[in-house]
Amino acid sequence: MKNSVVRHTRDRLALLAFVLVVAEVLLVILSWLLSATRMEGVRSLLSSEGIRWFFGSFETIVASPPLVWLLLLLSAFGCIQKSGSRIFMSRASFFSSNFRDRLALRVAVVILVVYITILALLTLAPHAILLSATGHLFPSAFSRSLVPAVAFGICLFSCTFGLVSGRLHSLADVLDALSSGIAHGAPLVIIYIFAIQLYASLCFVF
């Protein structure tokens, strides 16, 4: 059953990737046709300017904050899966029959509370370091790093739980947990590349 769900999900992702590629190709053709009719405000992706933009801007477009957010969230998801903390978060209970699991959950929660407290001191105190120059939380250094901060908190909680509970036995296991989500979510990275390039192409053309 699980294999069939995974296969179905991968089929849908493959279809989505194909649709994005086809949309990019159609946009290239459409931009050429519209620019040929001298429609105002339309630039062709097949013009010298468009080709230079596509090749010269591709790296900058792809290497944007959303890609970092995606990779970090996938890493956090992998930590949850590998450490076994997902089981206890779904139960939301400190009362497992296994003493080591109870201890692991409580230690992980304490570590998470300490982490949240440090973030609070860096953001909520007067003249806090992560506030903007005008003293605002949004926008500020904290708001720009909100997704990484959340992802790091999840990884910290999950890895602590995994190590104390014995589900993660070594630093190699921790590294595997951190990278497993990225490995399983690799199709999403490819889809992101196609999607962000299509969006940037639309902005260039129109």
Side-chain angles (χ1 to χ4, degrees), residues 34-128:
L34 292 178
S35 66
T37 63
R38 300 190 181 279
M39 180 175 287
E40 186 178 353
V42 175
R43 292 185 289 179
S44 171
L45 286 166
L46 290 177
S47 65
S48 57
E49 179 191 12
I51 294 172
R52 282 196 302 270
W53 170 84
F54 188 89
F55 283 92
S57 304
F58 183 81
E59 183 180 338
T60 305
I61 292 167
V62 172
S64 57
L67 177 60
V68 178
W69 300 342
L70 176 60
L71 292 175
L72 290 175
L73 291 174
L74 286 174
S75 182
F77 177 76
C79 284
I80 292 173
Q81 294 288 94
K82 285 284 188 178
S83 68
S85 58
R86 175 178 59 86
I87 301 170
F88 288 90
M89 286 193 292
S90 62
R91 290 187 199 172
S93 172
F94 283 80
F95 305 105
S96 168
S97 58
N98 187 313
F99 171 76
R100 192 167 183 178
D101 286 345
R102 290 202 312 271
L103 175 64
L105 184 60
R106 291 172 185 178
V107 171
V109 168
V110 169
I111 295 295
L112 184 61
V113 169
V114 170
Y115 174 68
I116 293 173
T117 301
I118 293 172
L119 284 182
L121 291 174
L122 292 173
T123 54
L124 300 180
H127 310 294

